Amino acid sequence: MANKIKLDIISDVVCPWCTIGYKRIEKAMEELGVADKFEIEWQPFELNPHLPKEGENIIDHITNKYGSTLEQQRESQRNMTEAGAELGFTFDYFDEMRMVNTLDAHVLLEYAHKFDKQTELKMRLTKAFFSERKDVSDRAVLKEALEDVGLNAEKALATLEGDEVRYEVKNKETYWHGLGVSSVPTFVFDKKSGVTGAQPVEVFKQVLNDVLAQKSY
């Protein structure tokens, strides 16, 4: 519908706060009864584009990237687990968990957009990674996720064999970086205003009300 507000959500599949942020803004929309006034499109952001195929142990990864101690990481994981539980999402952290490359996942999310299945696939992949201890860079895992949301897995996976969609994903990442998006999740309304981070539900409610107030129906 032409009068819907476009909501671009820039995020990564393996970003825990992206999941929490989406679940919170989803809850805010539901409580306000305004979900039908927004059209969501997921935009790519690779937290770790240079990760090798085998990925990296998550404890080592966070230590190397942010300098966080083990205790700091445990505390962060507890906070995210509690935040997820409040929203009906399970974060199942474990010692052998590995951070992985997500380019293929973003390519498939581009494919899913053509069939209005982007949000379903996004959340299915996120659940696979955080709740089911699965490697979302693994083609078998990706195939299962595609089938679970009702997409043609064979046709979708075929897009991974060419470079065209990969270039498209990279170009979109460059576009959002160029607009100043440097952290995720970032929520952008009609490419006019935005908010960054997994804000509390009440904050999202205020943001949504402000955006709606500026739009006439």
Side-chain angles (χ1 to χ4, degrees), residues 17-54:
W17 288 111
C18 293
T19 299
I20 293 168
Y22 170 68
K23 298 294 283 186
R24 284 177 176 171
I25 200 169
E26 179 185 46
K27 185 175 181 179
M29 286 181 180
E30 290 174 353
E31 292 184 0
L32 291 174
V34 299
D36 63 336
K37 298 185 185 297
F38 293 87
E39 176 189 348
I40 294 174
E41 182 173 349
W42 295 88
Q43 302 294 349
F45 188 105
E46 292 175 85
L47 287 171
N48 310 290
H50 304 300
L51 270 182
K53 184 174 178 59
E54 66 273 13

Side-chain angles (χ1 to χ4, degrees), residues 88-103:
F89 187 87
T90 300
F91 285 100
D92 179 19
Y93 285 98
F94 58 104
D95 288 344
E96 293 76 31
M97 190 174 190
R98 302 185 74 78
M99 189 59 69
V100 297
N101 188 290
T102 55
L103 181 57

Side-chain angles (χ1 to χ4, degrees), residues 11 36 40 64 67 76 80 83 113 130 146 152 156 161-162 174 189 198 201:
S11 74
D36 63 336
I40 294 174
N64 295 334
S76 178
M80 288 182 288
H113 182 249
F130 285 113
L146 290 162
N152 186 311
E161 303 306 321
T174 299
F189 301 91
V201 173

Side-chain angles (χ1 to χ4, degrees), residues 59-171:
I59 298 296
D60 295 336
H61 177 75
I62 299 299
T63 299
N64 295 334
K65 189 171 183 178
Y66 302 108
S68 303
T69 66
L70 180 59
E71 182 50 43
Q72 288 172 330
Q73 292 188 54
R74 297 293 191 216
E75 178 65 21
S76 178
Q77 290 174 359
R78 282 192 292 270
N79 291 338
M80 288 182 288
T81 300
E82 290 174 6
E86 291 175 3
L87 298 159
F89 187 87
T90 300
F91 285 100
D92 179 19
Y93 285 98
F94 58 104
D95 288 344
E96 293 76 31
M97 190 174 190
R98 302 185 74 78
M99 189 59 69
V100 297
N101 188 290
T102 55
L103 181 57
D104 283 356
H106 286 298
V107 169
L108 294 176
L109 285 168
E110 288 296 312
Y111 177 87
H113 182 249
K114 301 173 186 176
F115 303 93
D116 295 322
K117 292 277 190 178
Q118 219 183 11
T119 296
E120 286 182 65
L121 183 59
K122 173 75 174 185
M123 297 313 297
R124 185 66 193 91
L125 290 171
T126 296
K127 182 180 179 182
F129 183 71
F130 285 113
S131 308
E132 301 172 352
R133 301 190 173 192
K134 293 180 179 178
D135 177 357
V136 291
S137 68
D138 185 287
R139 294 287 174 93
V141 172
L142 294 173
K143 181 175 186 286
E144 180 183 41
L146 290 162
E147 292 173 343
D148 285 347
V149 301
L151 285 168
N152 186 311
E154 184 177 344
K155 289 184 178 179
L157 291 172
T159 65
L160 299 177
E161 303 306 321
D163 292 328
E164 184 177 348
V165 184
R166 293 179 188 278
Y167 288 139
E168 184 179 345
V169 167
K170 291 294 186 181
N171 286 337

